Amino acid sequence: MQYIDYDVLSIRTKKFSDLDLDNPFFDTLKNDYPGFENWFIRKGNENAFVVNDGGIQAFLYMKLEDKAEDYSIFEKPLPSELHLKIGTFKITKSGYYLGERFFRIILEHALLNDVDDIYVTIFPKREEQKKLIGFMETFGFSQYTKNRKTNELVFMRKMNVVQDMEPSLKNYPYVNKNLTRNYFMLAIDAGYHTKLIPDSILRGEDPSLITSDINAANAVKKTYIGNYRIFPTPGDIIVYYRNKPVGQNGSAKYLAIVTGFGMVSETFNSIRTYAEVSKIVSHRSVLTTEEIKTKLRTHSSYGVNILKFFDLFSFKRRPIRNDLIENDILVPTGGTTSFGGIAYEYPTKKITKEQFDLILELANFNENLFI
């Protein structure tokens, strides 16, 4: 099985043998699964994803299974395909937003290993298990069968299908290529960019600053608060444009960068009070209370706009501002800058489908998410 290494959000790949089986985190698993301790020891050299911030908060073990696997223990056998099995998955009660993060990890590994589906067996007993079932249903899993010996439920998510009307996490991370939609670029200040979209971290940034206690960073469902003058609607695509960092020497042509894209889920315009903003964003903003209030004071005439979106993909090759200029995605305004150079339109703007496709080409993006 191929694995992805994650540098941000305290999620690390660990060998089973590097973990303390006596940690209280594993007590419920020991109670639910007789022989868990022996199984855990046998897996000593295999990998699991772990969040260990002041104690283990989350644990995920996955493995590949093919048509040679025996599924006769299930009331309805699984199809003869390549499966990604979620072997062991637990998140503590305090790790709600970690749930979204880990389902992203699961789906990324399903894509990487080109499986036909993902499945998991789970007891619907305790609150944490019921929470996981809720997450699974949100991300397109449904009950497929049962284990006839243990009465565990078997949930499955098919890959390479669009299950629901967009926008919906049941389709995540796929995009229906047959739908008509609009495309936009959204300029994000460098100081907030990576907290909001940690998978788009740049090489020069310190990953240790983006930890799992930043709720908005963990979430797949993101919230952006600003005074932007674009008007996307649910289902539209937004491309992330990271502004040149304030105070950094050098031209924005080479220091501003396109890092990925997402899908709009909700929009709210001309919000004028902190109470309204707080109700809409909940804990999904990277802005502090004072930063939000400052934005409201600065834009008191029109209020702020709030954009909710699903973070879909971070580019490995990131086009720079100069690429956008050379390919007429950013065009001159006819004016000049304060330094006497050519002024270009602000990057928060609507773009065409052709321009979006060109950005994907510049990023060497494999369009397997569009189905």
Side-chain angles (χ1 to χ4, degrees):
M1 177 170 168
Q2 296 184 67
Y3 289 94
I4 300 169
D5 289 325
Y6 296 95
D7 296 325
V8 292
L9 298 178
S10 308
I11 295 169
R12 297 292 179 268
T13 306
K14 298 284 188 182
K15 298 291 185 186
F16 276 66
S17 56
D18 293 333
L19 300 171
D20 180 10
L21 184 54
D22 293 327
N23 190 301
F25 176 88
F26 296 110
D27 287 350
T28 56
L29 294 169
K30 294 174 186 175
N31 292 334
D32 283 343
Y33 300 100
F36 176 82
E37 291 166 276
N38 290 333
W39 172 85
F40 193 99
I41 292 169
R42 289 199 307 272
K43 294 290 179 182
N45 202 40
E46 295 196 38
N47 294 313
F49 288 99
V50 180
V51 172
N52 191 359
D53 281 343
I56 299 178
Q57 296 182 37
F59 178 93
L60 169 66
Y61 166 69
M62 299 176 287
K63 69 171 185 171
L64 296 179
E65 294 181 349
D66 59 23
K67 58 186 178 182
E69 198 77 22
D70 180 10
Y71 297 113
S72 59
I73 198 171
F74 296 153
E75 291 181 354
K76 177 183 176 183
L78 301 188
S80 296
E81 297 176 333
L82 182 61
H83 312 283
L84 178 65
K85 180 181 180 181
I86 304 172
T88 306
F89 187 18
K90 179 182 174 181
I91 299 174
T92 62
K93 290 181 180 179
S94 61
Y96 178 84
Y97 292 93
L98 281 175
E100 288 187 25
R101 179 66 182 172
F102 269 85
F103 273 96
R104 176 173 184 145
I105 290 173
I106 291 166
L107 285 158
E108 286 177 337
H109 282 81
L111 289 168
L112 176 65
N113 289 279
D114 197 23
V115 302
D116 296 290
D117 59 59
I118 311 165
Y119 85 95
V120 61
T121 63
I122 189 168
F123 289 111
K125 296 177 181 178
R126 291 186 304 278
E127 211 44 51
E128 67 191 37
Q129 294 167 325
K130 293 175 182 177
K131 182 193 296 183
L132 280 179
I133 289 174
F135 273 121
M136 286 191 288
E137 291 173 337
T138 297
F139 280 88
F141 287 75
S142 58
Q143 187 178 341
Y144 181 82
T145 186
K146 284 178 65 175
N147 184 317
R148 60 163 55 95
K149 284 190 175 181
T150 64
N151 285 322
E152 287 175 280
L153 305 181
V154 180
F155 279 78
M156 178 184 285
R157 157 79 189 261
K158 295 293 292 183
M159 299 299 289
N160 298 305
V161 295
V162 172
Q163 299 187 37
D164 204 358
M165 293 291 292
E166 291 180 347
S168 171
L169 287 177
K170 288 185 177 181
N171 302 330
Y172 185 86
Y174 296 115
V175 178
N176 188 339
K177 67 180 180 182
N178 297 314
L179 292 186
T180 299
R181 67 181 87 244
N182 292 314
Y183 301 83
F184 299 86
M185 281 201 303
L186 178 69
I188 303 173
D189 288 345
Y192 299 113
H193 168 269
T194 307
K195 291 180 183 178
L196 183 64
I197 313 166
D199 291 282
S200 291
I201 190 169
L202 274 64
R203 289 190 185 92
E205 295 182 289
D206 183 356
S208 68
L209 299 178
I210 313 299
T211 60
S212 291
D213 59 0
I214 304 175
N215 288 332
N218 282 304
V220 167
K221 294 181 284 187
K222 306 292 186 179
T223 297
Y224 179 86
I225 304 171
N227 193 38
Y228 53 86
R229 289 292 181 262
I230 54 174
F231 299 97
T233 58
D236 289 345
I237 296 292
I238 56 167
V239 176
Y240 316 140
Y241 176 101
R242 180 186 184 271
N243 284 325
K244 171 190 169 182
V246 175
Q248 185 170 347
N249 293 327
S251 170
K253 279 187 175 183
Y254 307 103
L255 295 174
I257 190 167
V258 175
T259 63
F261 66 92
M263 178 183 290
V264 177
S265 58
E266 293 180 90
T267 60
F268 305 84
N269 297 322
S270 301
I271 307 302
R272 289 180 166 81
T273 70
Y274 177 77
E276 289 179 283
V277 173
S278 182
K279 183 178 179 181
I280 292 168
V281 305
S282 184
H283 298 291
R284 293 183 183 270
S285 174
V286 297
L287 301 181
T288 65
T289 296
E290 190 50 45
E291 286 170 334
I292 293 172
K293 289 180 177 179
T294 298
K295 279 186 176 289
L296 287 166
R297 287 193 297 268
T298 303
H299 306 297
S300 58
S301 298
Y302 300 100
V304 297
N305 297 330
I306 300 174
L307 183 67
K308 291 190 175 185
F309 61 97
F310 304 149
D311 179 27
L312 294 180
F313 193 83
S314 293
F315 297 140
K316 302 299 181 287
R317 182 189 186 282
R318 279 82 180 268
I320 59 176
R321 176 181 174 88
N322 195 57
D323 294 324
L324 304 182
I325 291 171
E326 289 185 345
N327 287 279
D328 298 323
I329 297 171
L330 288 179
V331 299
T333 63
T336 58
T337 68
S338 57
F339 301 103
I342 298 173
Y344 290 87
E345 59 188 334
Y346 192 66
T348 295
K349 54 170 281 187
K350 187 176 182 180
I351 59 176
T352 65
K353 171 66 163 58
E354 292 71 26
Q355 288 174 322
F356 175 67
D357 289 340
L358 182 53
I359 290 172
L360 297 186
E361 183 179 330
L362 291 168
N364 292 337
F365 174 72
N366 183 341
E367 295 191 39
N368 60 349
L369 296 189
F370 293 83
I371 61 173

